[in-house]
Amino acid sequence: MRKFSTLQMVLAAMVAAVYTVLTVFLPIPQYGEVQFRVAECMTLLPFLFPWAAPGLVVGCFLANLLGSPFVLDWVFGTLATAIACFLTARAPNKWLAALPPVICNAVIVGAEIAWSATGGFNGAFWAAFGPIALSVGAGELAVCLLLGVPLLAVLPKVKALRGVMAPSRLAVR
């Protein structure tokens, strides 16, 4: 188990707050089959800052709790973010760091939405799952590539953040 400093825990709490606010208050599709959740660009942060993962998981849970009426989303949407953060922190480069959030959300959130829409794992579920997973994955891919990867390129240049960055990522440009 990794220990985080007080500063890292405070920063993780700030990440949770920013994720929650961006998701709950931006007037764009954040929930459902078509979503463009801007805060998901932050799921690439564990690539540079492993301490950001708990903040992202808490932020996702709070955003789903406040914005989604589905208990499944509270659990499985948060699970998708937790798995994505774990895998992103271990990605070999910033381009591959974008894949775990896309795949996890497409599969897990896509299945959750298809299950909610069809009432369970039946023939209708499998017919709905593919298009829903593609839709969720496409929105996630757009956010991660258009916002997340550039974020990973800029953050290492911020001198104030270099002290809390994973030592193995200091050379990332």
Side-chain angles (χ1 to χ4, degrees):
M1 185 172 151
R2 178 176 292 174
K3 291 186 178 183
F4 297 119
S5 70
T6 303
L7 174 62
Q8 290 170 331
M9 287 189 284
V10 169
L11 291 171
M14 290 172 62
V15 165
V18 170
Y19 185 103
T20 303
V21 168
L22 284 175
T23 303
V24 173
F25 293 109
L26 279 180
I28 56 177
Q30 305 280 351
Y31 306 94
E33 295 175 27
V34 176
Q35 47 183 269
F36 190 80
R37 192 178 278 199
V38 173
E40 283 291 304
C41 74
M42 295 171 62
T43 59
L44 276 66
L45 289 178
F47 177 75
L48 297 174
F49 311 104
W51 49 260
L56 290 164
V57 172
V58 169
C60 181
F61 175 74
L62 291 173
N64 289 339
L65 183 67
L66 295 170
S68 175
F70 302 109
V71 175
L72 283 179
D73 200 24
W74 305 350
V75 175
F76 292 104
T78 304
L79 178 65
T81 296
I83 294 169
C85 287
F86 176 81
L87 296 173
T88 297
R90 287 148 184 79
N93 62 56
K94 66 183 174 186
W95 295 100
L96 292 177
L99 288 180
V102 173
I103 294 168
C104 288
N105 279 283
V107 173
I108 297 171
V109 174
E112 165 214 320
I113 294 170
W115 192 88
S116 294
T118 62
F121 294 112
N122 50 40
F125 168 84
W126 295 109
F129 173 69
I132 292 171
L134 285 174
S135 176
V136 170
E140 189 77 15
L141 182 65
V143 169
C144 287
L145 291 182
L146 297 175
L147 301 174
V149 171
L151 189 64
L152 292 183
V154 170
L155 291 177
K157 297 174 184 172
V158 178
K159 289 181 182 178
L161 294 176
R162 293 180 71 77
V164 292
M165 191 178 303
S168 62
R169 305 297 189 187
L170 286 173
V172 173
R173 295 270 184 240

